Amino acid sequence: MKNIREHRAQPGEPDAPGCAVPAAAPEALAEGHPATRDRVARSILDHGPSSAADLASRLGLTPAAVRRHLDGLTAAGLVDAREQRVHGSRGRGRPAKVFALTDGGRDAFYQAYDQLAADALRWISETAGGGSAGEEAVAAFARARLAKQGERYRDALAAAAAERRAEALAEALSADGYAATVRRVPSAAAAPAAPAGAQLCQHHCPVVHIAEQFPQLCEAETEVFSQLLGTHVQRLATIAHGDGVCTTYVPAPGAAPSSSRTPGAAPTAGTSPIENGSSARRNLA
């Protein structure tokens, strides 16, 4: 079972250079006694919608203590309250209130989505014949998936000024759960007055466990970023490769592409820029 406390940010997680971590939303689970709150959520998972009295009886807690934990879980969006469904005739008085897990609450426990996705991609590879043909089949799927995602971002970027497109992309990515930020860095050009490039930092990757096995997902994402921003971008670090943050260098509008690493945008130790599919497979495998 994945511990429900994983909804909180993990302390001590390394960040890529220059990538500020976005502010975390208030987390109700951080208050009180998280271990007991986990037990309350687990009891609802095991027994279904439950009243505060039922939970208190099962867990050996006072109803007041259970209600405090339920308030925290409700504030975190992990449980919600509803009227108890009664079969047959109902007596007088207000129906009892029961608490049920929300979709977010269920997601806090173990799910097999990652394994399902990995099995599907492995099947695509094997059906294509394995080897390089299998890798290309997975890459084709990744490109199609990311292209569809990119289409949803295209209007937002088209409405932004050229020098603000990285920020527009970061906002679109954050809306999809990537917790993206942008940091301006000195241009690779020698002229002091040259416009600054940018580091696009993704502090979360919803598909990291799959990308660890199939780096084609990272390659396709980089290609889509390049298409959306209208310039060659350079991937410097990825969470799937063990870095704290996915970091992509975006040159300033009109700047010539550079094969050298950009000042102020050095990748996390142990990584190298992703320049094409074969190098990505070597770097991220």
Side-chain angles (χ1 to χ4, degrees):
M1 180 191 78
K2 186 167 70 174
N3 194 297
I4 203 164
R5 280 171 283 172
E6 291 181 10
H7 276 262
R8 289 179 291 175
Q10 297 300 313
E13 181 177 281
D15 299 323
C19 293
V21 179
E27 180 55 80
L29 289 181
E31 302 173 0
H33 302 281
T36 304
R37 200 158 294 178
D38 289 351
R39 291 174 58 213
V40 171
R42 180 72 207 207
S43 185
I44 296 173
L45 179 74
D46 291 341
H47 297 275
S50 305
S51 68
D54 290 337
L55 289 164
S57 176
R58 286 199 297 262
L59 300 173
L61 301 171
T62 65
V66 167
R67 289 191 186 93
R68 284 198 300 274
H69 292 303
L70 288 171
D71 286 344
L73 291 165
T74 301
L78 303 177
V79 305
D80 59 13
R82 60 184 66 166
E83 288 187 0
Q84 186 173 29
R85 184 175 298 175
V86 177
H87 300 281
S89 60
R90 187 172 69 187
R92 294 182 177 181
R94 178 179 297 179
K97 181 187 294 186
V98 295
F99 295 84
L101 291 177
T102 62
D103 289 342
R106 289 186 178 278
D107 286 346
F109 294 91
Y110 173 76
Q111 302 282 358
Y113 300 139
D114 283 354
Q115 187 59 50
L116 176 64
D119 289 346
L121 290 177
R122 197 167 292 112
W123 182 86
I124 290 173
S125 177
E126 292 171 355
T127 301
S132 59
E135 289 184 359
E136 180 52 38
V138 172
F141 166 82
R143 285 192 292 269
R145 176 183 179 273
L146 269 298
K148 189 169 294 186
Q149 182 177 341
E151 282 300 320
R152 294 191 286 106
Y153 302 162
R154 198 171 297 280
D155 289 345
L157 269 70
E163 65 274 11
R164 301 296 298 173
R165 284 179 185 160
E167 283 80 2
L169 179 55
E171 291 176 8
L173 288 166
S174 292
D176 276 348
Y178 289 84
T181 60
V182 171
R183 174 181 179 266
R184 292 288 162 179
V185 296
S187 172
Q199 282 188 31
L200 174 64
C201 303
Q202 296 157 261
H203 300 268
H204 176 64
C205 175
V207 296
V208 62
H209 299 305
I210 308 305
E212 289 170 356
Q213 302 173 59
F214 298 96
Q216 295 95 326
L217 295 174
C218 298
E219 298 165 22
E221 183 180 70
T222 306
E223 292 175 12
V224 168
F225 287 176
S226 181
Q227 293 164 7
L228 289 171
L229 295 168
T231 185
H232 172 75
V233 302
Q234 190 176 34
R235 183 59 64 89
L236 302 176
T238 64
I239 297 172
H241 189 224
D243 301 293
V245 177
C246 294
T247 308
T248 305
Y249 177 69
V250 182
S258 172
S259 59
S260 62
R261 288 179 182 165
T262 305
T268 302
T271 66
S272 57
I274 299 173
E275 296 176 352
N276 55 52
S278 60
S279 67
R281 276 187 282 275
R282 289 195 300 272
N283 291 338
L284 296 180

